Amino acid sequence: MFYPFKKLNNGLLASALLLGLLFTGCDILQVNNPNSLVEEDLANPVAASSIANGAEATLVEGLGQILAPYSTATDELTWIGTRDGWQQLDQGRVSEPVNEFTDASFLALSEARWTADEAIRRLEEFRSNGTLQDKTSLIRSYFYGAVVYITIADSYDNFVFSDREEAAPAKGEENMDQLYDTAVGYLNSGLELTGSNTGNWEARLLAVRARAKFSQSLWNKLNPDTDTGNPLVENSEASQDASAALALLGQNDWRYQLEVTPETAENDLAYQVNDRLELRIGNAYAVPTEDGTRVDSVSLRDPIDDIAAPALVSAVNEFVSANLYANYTLISERELRLIIAEDALAGNDTNTFEDQINEIRSLDQLSEYTGQIPPVELLEHSRRVNLFLQGRRLADHYRFGSDSPEWGANRDEPGTFFPITITEIRANPNISF
């Protein structure tokens, strides 16, 4: 079950209480805090923007919690620290329900999912009552909700959608693709609200809808069994959405990110790599420093120009320099063009494939692709370097049949993602081992 909560620093709290008693002699528990909110306050339409902000904040927390274990289970990151849970993931063992890090991500994404659904419910009610003053708050909530559902479906083999202490049964592995339908439904609802006064939200919603449709087709490549013999995703609707979004954007190398700052939850992925040093960017991507804790240089090379892949160099430098506050890229021009390119290649339209791949390569001043290597090989490479640390790689490992060098003999079967984890199993009477 899901229990919303706040983290407290018990030491600081105890110190504050003690000092209050010593210096005031008053009952410091009798405090009227004007910043305190109760649930009834959320029924006020004036809170619409804050409700949407809450959905965004929990999404920021959830993404950091899931991207750290997800990326460790791929060749993108490797374990260098002391915690056995990271070692299990590094070795390709993702199905352990007792892994502390996948357990933390389950809880964080459950909170993000519930908060987004609740935001949508409340803001839809305001709108139906005619009291929603700015529809952008509802558009944002649809967007965040869609991203949460896509992320869960991309990362988990099963999930639970409880309402706080009201326990729900498991969704069921065979039904997880329905989460993409929910995401598309939210995005459709958001698109119905877009207009001249809603900024770039139409393009963002179309872009993420392209991602949702692509991801659903990819899910079907991995379920119930992994189809390595036919790994390419063909989805004309995803391609059309990607093209429509690109037509609206009119920006060079566009991407949409959630910002991470000292005022938001920190990026747990960045914390584990850049601060705690439990994880490091993998040997398949970079040469480590002499002490083995950080990146010395990028080693993954462009297969045509034989130089360090520029997109990867840029991504690594940005991630490392951000320290704890690396932003999350949710969708980008590069991914949209990859969606169009793959759909074209799956349909034997090699001209469109080459055009889109070369549009991406031109962003990095790389030579044009004219058939120097097999197109599927270039597609996988392009996804590796342009979607680095964005939660896409494990599915690509499985469908392209490429192993991580850290995977051990006990690694899980291809197509395995994270399970319902131990905290939920213990709390939810509908779930058992």
Side-chain angles (χ1 to χ4, degrees), residues 127 132-140 193-195 197-198:
R127 183 168 180 259
L132 183 65
Q133 298 176 2
D134 181 7
K135 61 185 177 180
T136 304
S137 296
L138 180 53
I139 293 171
R140 289 173 57 210
L193 300 178
T194 56
N197 63 338
T198 54

Side-chain angles (χ1 to χ4, degrees), residues 173-174 219-227 414-416:
E173 292 188 27
E174 70 281 3
W219 187 93
N220 284 300
K221 291 286 181 183
L222 304 174
N223 294 276
D225 299 304
T226 302
D227 186 4
T416 304

Side-chain angles (χ1 to χ4, degrees), residues 210-218 233 238 339 342 383 399:
R211 177 185 160 190
K213 292 176 178 178
F214 177 90
S215 294
Q216 187 170 37
S217 291
L218 177 52
V233 168
I339 288 171
E342 184 166 347
R383 288 180 60 83
R399 64 173 172 142

Side-chain angles (χ1 to χ4, degrees), residues 254-298:
W254 172 87
R255 59 183 174 173
Y256 184 69
Q257 294 183 308
L258 290 183
E259 292 187 354
V260 181
T261 72
E263 284 71 46
T264 69
E266 68 184 31
N267 183 328
D268 190 65
L269 167 65
Y271 166 69
Q272 298 294 343
V273 176
N274 295 330
D275 188 276
R276 182 174 170 81
L277 304 181
E278 276 287 337
L279 309 171
R280 175 174 50 76
I281 293 172
N283 297 327
Y285 294 78
V287 176
T289 53
E290 189 172 343
D291 65 1
T293 62
R294 300 181 185 273
V295 171
D296 179 72
S297 61
V298 168

Side-chain angles (χ1 to χ4, degrees), residues 170-357:
K171 182 70 174 177
E173 292 188 27
E174 70 281 3
N175 299 318
M176 288 293 285
D177 64 327
Q178 296 173 9
L179 275 60
Y180 299 112
D181 294 329
T182 301
V184 169
Y186 281 164
L187 296 164
N188 290 343
S189 295
L191 285 164
E192 291 175 2
L193 300 178
T194 56
S196 59
N197 63 338
T198 54
N200 289 326
W201 280 107
E202 182 180 3
R204 295 166 187 165
L205 292 161
L206 282 169
V208 172
R209 193 171 73 177
R211 177 185 160 190
K213 292 176 178 178
F214 177 90
S215 294
Q216 187 170 37
S217 291
L218 177 52
W219 187 93
N220 284 300
K221 291 286 181 183
L222 304 174
N223 294 276
D225 299 304
T226 302
D227 186 4
T228 56
N230 183 26
L232 297 179
V233 168
E234 185 173 10
N235 189 312
S236 60
E237 290 186 2
S239 180
Q240 289 164 10
D241 278 349
S243 295
L246 290 171
L248 289 171
L249 290 167
Q251 297 183 39
N252 189 39
D253 212 2
W254 172 87
R255 59 183 174 173
Y256 184 69
Q257 294 183 308
L258 290 183
E259 292 187 354
V260 181
T261 72
E263 284 71 46
T264 69
E266 68 184 31
N267 183 328
D268 190 65
L269 167 65
Y271 166 69
Q272 298 294 343
V273 176
N274 295 330
D275 188 276
R276 182 174 170 81
L277 304 181
E278 276 287 337
L279 309 171
R280 175 174 50 76
I281 293 172
N283 297 327
Y285 294 78
V287 176
T289 53
E290 189 172 343
D291 65 1
T293 62
R294 300 181 185 273
V295 171
D296 179 72
S297 61
V298 168
S299 58
L300 183 60
R301 305 182 76 78
D302 181 78
I304 295 174
D305 288 351
D306 195 30
I307 61 172
L312 182 61
V313 172
S314 177
V316 169
N317 286 340
E318 182 178 304
F319 179 76
V320 170
S321 63
N323 197 16
L324 298 179
Y325 305 111
N327 295 333
Y328 302 104
T329 299
L330 301 183
I331 192 68
S332 64
E333 174 187 341
R334 293 171 185 248
E335 184 167 17
L336 294 173
R337 294 195 182 281
L338 286 167
I339 288 171
I340 299 169
E342 184 166 347
D343 173 66
L345 184 60
N348 296 313
D349 180 358
T350 55
N351 289 333
T352 299
F353 171 78
E354 291 183 7
D355 287 346
Q356 293 300 317
I357 287 294

